[in-house]
């Protein structure tokens, strides 16, 4: 009988059950509030990710815009790696009469050879420099466009493919124009080549 009494004392009464229901109801309301707050936070995070991607695209666009007025000049002597030295190179050797250099910055220095980034007055002047770059043939000075790291990697892959194609068939030529549909297709096929 004492066993039965012990069991009956452990049995929950109607008031005990009501109290548990109230406590669970409060917990349930708290869970629902936390779920709603969690959903709001997820929405806010998605918006922040979207804003970050938009900002990143705008930043990349602005960086590309600023790079569009830059050229890289390699093979200059240290005393030529100045604003005036680059200006003289553009006027004398590349025959650009109205060459204006806004600023220069040294990229590297090796055994009296210096690489310089030069900011020119306009993107048109950069195009003219690149077109006239052939006039530097025979000298140890090279002029090239200031490219982003991603575009430099594409250029490396294109040059590797060009060399590979030249060993296969000397009549093959690789041409790549930035922004053209052929260029986009070429990038895809060159990416496949790079994976090999």
């Amino acid at each position: 009988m004492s066993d039965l009494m012990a069991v009956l004392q452990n049995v929950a009464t109607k008031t005990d059950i009501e109290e548990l229901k109230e406590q669970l109801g409060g917990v349930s309301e708290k869970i629902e509030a936390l779920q709603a707050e969690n959903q709001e936070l997820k929405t806010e995070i998605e918006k922040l990710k979207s804003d970050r991607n938009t900002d990143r695209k705008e930043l990349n666009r602005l960086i590309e815009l600023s790079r569009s007025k830059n050229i890289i000049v390699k093979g200059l002597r240290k005393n030529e790696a100045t604003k005036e030295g680059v200006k003289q190179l553009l006027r004398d050797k590349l025959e650009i009469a109205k060459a204006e250099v806004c600023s220069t910055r040294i990229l590297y220095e090796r055994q009296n050879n210096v690489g310089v980034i030069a900011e020119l007055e306009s993107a048109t002047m950069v195009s003219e420099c690149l077109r006239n770059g052939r006039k530097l043939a025979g000298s140890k000075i090279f002029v090239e466009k200031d490219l982003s790291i991603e575009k430099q990697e594409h250029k490396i892959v294109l040059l590797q493919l060009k060399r590979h194609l030249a060993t296969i068939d000397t009549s093959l030529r690789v041409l790549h124009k930035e922004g053209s549909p052929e260029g986009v297709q070429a990038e895809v096929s060159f990416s496949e080549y790079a994976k090999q």
Side-chain angles (χ1 to χ4, degrees), residues 22-188:
E22 285 178 24
Q23 289 175 357
L24 287 177
V27 170
S28 177
E29 289 172 6
K30 288 179 183 177
I31 289 173
E32 288 174 8
L34 287 173
Q35 285 175 333
E37 183 181 350
N38 191 21
Q39 189 59 42
E40 288 175 21
L41 290 172
K42 283 182 180 179
T43 304
E44 190 175 329
I45 287 171
E46 288 304 316
K47 184 182 180 320
L48 289 172
K49 283 181 180 178
S50 174
D51 290 349
R52 184 188 66 190
N53 286 338
T54 302
D55 290 346
R56 188 177 290 155
K57 286 178 185 176
E58 180 64 11
L59 179 63
N60 286 338
R61 186 188 71 77
L62 291 172
I63 289 171
E64 285 299 318
L65 184 63
S66 72
R67 284 180 186 265
S68 69
K69 296 192 306 183
N70 293 350
I71 59 169
I72 296 177
V73 184
K74 296 180 179 179
L76 293 173
R77 288 186 300 257
K78 192 171 183 174
N79 62 343
E80 298 172 326
T82 63
K83 186 176 169 181
E84 289 303 317
V86 172
K87 190 179 203 179
Q88 184 178 356
L89 171 79
L90 299 180
R91 288 184 177 170
D92 296 347
K93 294 192 178 179
L94 295 181
E95 299 172 0
I96 300 172
K98 297 181 181 180
E100 286 300 322
V101 179
C102 299
S103 66
T104 59
R105 188 177 75 235
I106 294 178
L107 284 175
Y108 66 85
E109 196 173 325
R110 294 183 198 122
Q111 301 174 347
N112 202 28
N113 277 340
V114 179
V116 174
I117 289 184
E119 181 183 354
L120 305 182
E121 191 174 63
S122 68
T124 307
M125 195 174 294
V126 169
S127 297
E128 194 174 343
C129 288
L130 295 173
R131 268 195 311 275
N132 292 350
R134 288 183 231 131
K135 294 177 181 178
L136 295 172
S139 71
K140 293 184 179 184
I141 300 173
F142 301 94
V143 177
E144 57 186 43
K145 192 172 183 178
D146 183 17
L147 300 175
S148 67
I149 292 173
E150 182 180 325
K151 288 186 178 185
Q152 287 175 18
E153 290 170 353
H154 283 152
K155 181 180 175 182
I156 289 169
V157 171
L158 285 170
L159 291 173
Q160 288 173 347
L161 181 61
K162 183 177 181 178
R163 284 188 213 111
H164 181 70
L165 288 175
T167 61
I168 295 172
D169 185 355
T170 56
S171 66
L172 294 176
R173 291 185 56 183
V174 176
L175 298 174
H176 173 72
K177 266 190 160 171
E178 283 185 45
S180 70
E182 298 82 17
V184 172
Q185 291 172 356
E187 287 179 13
V188 171

